[in-house]
Amino acid sequence: MTTNTTTNEATTTHADVSATAARIDLAKAAPKVFRALIGFDAAAREGIDPALVELIQIRASHLNHCAYCLHMHTNDARKAGESEDRLHMVAVWREARHFFTEREQAALALTEAVTLVADGGVPDDVYAQAAAHFDERELAHVLALILTINTWNRVALSTAKVAGTDQRR
């Protein structure tokens, strides 16, 4: 399979950089920071259905174009028993709502709003829908999980992690 990558003199893509230049290993260069991220991630997951955790992480990784995390979390979801049909529909969940519960849809909508927060904030109706499906503690954990996957996506993209090379320790 061939991937087309466009570059010009002013633009270098992630694919170009990862092929030519090594980037910092955050876990080695800043172990205390990395452990704090792992702790934040673990705390965020507490009490959330593992299938929902993966759906949130997959959707945010789609939106952030993070192939490393997308590969990792789709594999984790498969290992946890997630169906191929649902995995294929995450990116287009609004057009395939029948694959997802109302609770999952609310979490996916909130994931999109928080991930794309610069595009206009988190709309009141999106927040209200999530609040209708999650109690206060659950909603706090869903929000924290969205924050952690967005952080992990940015770590993976800025350090040029390569999809298919799961480097979790």
Side-chain angles (χ1 to χ4, degrees):
M1 178 179 193
T2 304
T3 303
N4 292 331
T5 304
T6 7
T7 59
N8 62 37
E9 292 175 28
T11 306
T12 304
T13 65
H14 170 79
D16 296 328
V17 172
S18 64
T20 60
R23 299 246 180 129
I24 194 168
D25 180 337
L26 189 65
K28 289 180 182 173
K32 189 173 180 180
V33 171
F34 195 77
R35 284 191 306 273
L37 287 174
I38 290 170
F40 182 29
D41 186 83
R45 293 166 181 259
E46 287 181 13
I48 302 178
D49 174 44
L52 183 59
V53 168
E54 296 306 332
L55 292 176
I56 289 168
Q57 293 178 321
I58 289 166
R59 187 62 188 129
S61 298
H62 282 141
L63 295 168
N64 288 320
H65 304 274
C66 185
Y68 178 81
C69 293
L70 184 59
H71 184 268
M72 178 188 304
H73 294 297
T74 53
N75 281 340
D76 288 350
R78 281 185 193 95
K79 289 175 190 169
E82 188 61 79
S83 76
E84 288 298 317
D85 282 344
R86 282 173 39 102
L87 289 176
H88 291 296
M89 295 296 116
V90 173
V92 293
W93 69 269
R94 291 178 192 279
E95 290 77 35
R97 290 178 185 270
H98 60 284
F99 283 93
F100 305 98
T101 67
E102 288 186 13
R103 183 176 165 96
E104 290 168 337
Q105 291 175 43
L108 290 168
L110 186 62
T111 299
E112 290 176 354
V114 172
T115 300
L116 303 172
V117 71
D119 292 347
V122 177
D124 289 340
D125 62 323
V126 170
Y127 186 88
Q129 189 66 22
H133 288 282
F134 297 95
D135 66 32
E136 192 170 273
R137 182 186 178 284
E138 291 170 326
L139 184 57
H141 280 261
V142 166
L143 181 57
L145 182 66
I146 296 166
L147 299 175
T148 62
I149 188 57
N150 274 280
T151 300
W152 286 123
N153 288 165
R154 282 153 177 76
V155 168
L157 289 165
S158 62
T159 60
K161 297 294 183 199
V162 177
T165 61
D166 187 341
Q167 297 175 350
R168 289 179 283 190
R169 294 176 166 86

